[in-house]
Amino acid sequence: MVYNLENIIIMSRSSYQNMVRSVVEAWPREPTGYLIGPIKRAKHIVIDVYPVQTADRKPTEVTYGNHRAIKRLRKLEGIWKDKKLHKSYIGGYHGHMKNNLPNENVSRFNELSDGDINFIQQEMEALEREKWIEILMKFENKNYMNEREIEEKITQRHRKVNVAINDEHFHGYKITFSAYLINRNLEVVPLTLKIENEILERKSISSSD
């Protein structure tokens, strides 16, 4: 398959790990944060992420709980921005928690909601962005009847990245990463998400760690 560079987003391994930490820690509430990367390149690259610590997290939504804190972050961004590489906020991420949704609302779990788009529009206006990248983590907490190996398994499936992590022999998480590009007209374009230097194979975690 031939990809258009503008429809691919590359995420660093450390950014991936920090997003997993963010969603696991926040569960059963939704996490949110910023994506940081070069803002003037054809290829979209996430080199770092920042989880918003003052977010108002709820089981089915997340918002900025302290708007003064967010304004302080935006002011720092203007001071610290690397003018040579143009590293800055290129978008955000958040999670949808499947365990918290009734069956009739499962469709909300699988895609960006109207509330998500409204939130993104406000961020684009506040940061004066012509485009925004949003990574959605669809998260499911799993309890198993049968014993399983403690491991992390990452697989590429079309545009998305599927992650299965068993942190105990009878417990684990399933996370699907999806990426979207949103422009000023609020048109949503799915992106192909890839993890940098990720072989996408089974990786065992030592149970002694």
Side-chain angles (χ1 to χ4, degrees):
M1 179 181 295
V2 178
Y3 293 107
N4 183 333
L5 286 180
E6 294 185 355
N7 292 330
I8 294 178
I9 179 168
I10 307 296
M11 181 166 59
S12 69
R13 174 72 184 182
S14 61
S15 296
Y16 155 76
Q17 289 177 325
N18 283 332
M19 288 176 68
V20 171
R21 292 184 179 106
S22 179
V23 71
V24 168
E25 179 186 14
W27 188 87
R29 294 174 174 82
E30 294 188 1
T32 190
Y34 286 110
L35 307 177
I36 299 171
I39 59 176
K40 292 187 177 180
R41 293 182 59 174
K43 183 189 294 183
H44 308 297
I45 302 174
V46 179
I47 60 174
D48 201 359
V49 299
Y50 178 77
V52 176
Q53 300 180 68
T54 57
D56 182 12
R57 300 179 180 88
K58 298 178 181 179
T60 57
E61 67 176 355
V62 60
T63 60
Y64 293 152
N66 187 334
H67 290 276
R68 290 184 178 179
I70 297 302
K71 287 182 179 179
R72 292 196 295 269
L73 285 179
R74 291 170 180 160
K75 289 179 181 179
L76 280 178
E77 184 62 23
I79 297 172
W80 287 348
K81 185 169 60 176
D82 187 323
K83 299 183 183 301
K84 182 178 179 180
L85 296 178
H86 300 283
K87 291 183 293 185
S88 185
Y89 296 145
I90 60 172
Y93 73 86
H94 73 286
H96 286 177
M97 307 306 208
K98 185 174 182 180
N99 306 79
N100 298 333
L101 295 173
N103 292 334
E104 60 269 21
N105 289 337
V106 170
S107 60
R108 178 196 177 280
F109 170 76
N110 292 319
E111 58 191 22
L112 296 178
S113 67
D114 291 341
D116 295 336
I117 299 300
N118 290 336
F119 185 84
I120 290 168
Q121 182 181 23
Q122 293 171 11
E123 280 296 282
M124 291 175 66
E125 292 174 352
L127 292 167
E128 299 181 343
R129 294 291 187 267
E130 294 297 322
K131 61 183 179 180
W132 185 268
I133 296 170
E134 188 73 14
I135 295 181
L136 172 62
M137 292 182 290
K138 294 174 284 187
F139 182 88
E140 188 173 5
N141 187 64
K142 303 286 290 185
N143 292 301
Y144 304 119
M145 296 295 294
N146 299 318
E147 185 174 357
R148 302 196 177 194
E149 183 178 357
I150 296 177
E151 64 177 359
E152 174 190 45
K153 186 177 181 181
I154 305 175
T155 56
Q156 186 86 41
R157 183 171 176 81
H158 305 300
R159 296 182 181 275
K160 303 177 181 181
V161 173
N162 293 333
V163 179
I165 299 176
N166 298 332
D167 61 340
E168 298 178 8
H169 291 296
F170 295 93
H171 179 267
Y173 311 103
K174 287 190 176 181
I175 313 170
T176 298
F177 287 78
S178 305
Y180 305 90
L181 177 66
I182 299 95
N183 61 25
R184 274 289 186 181
N185 296 323
L186 301 183
E187 297 170 326
V188 180
V189 178
L191 298 176
T192 297
L193 176 64
K194 294 181 177 292
I195 300 175
E196 184 181 45
N197 299 327
E198 182 53 61
I199 301 175
L200 301 180
E201 64 181 8
R202 189 170 184 162
K203 299 178 180 294
S204 294
I205 302 173
S206 172
S207 59
S208 61
D209 290 345

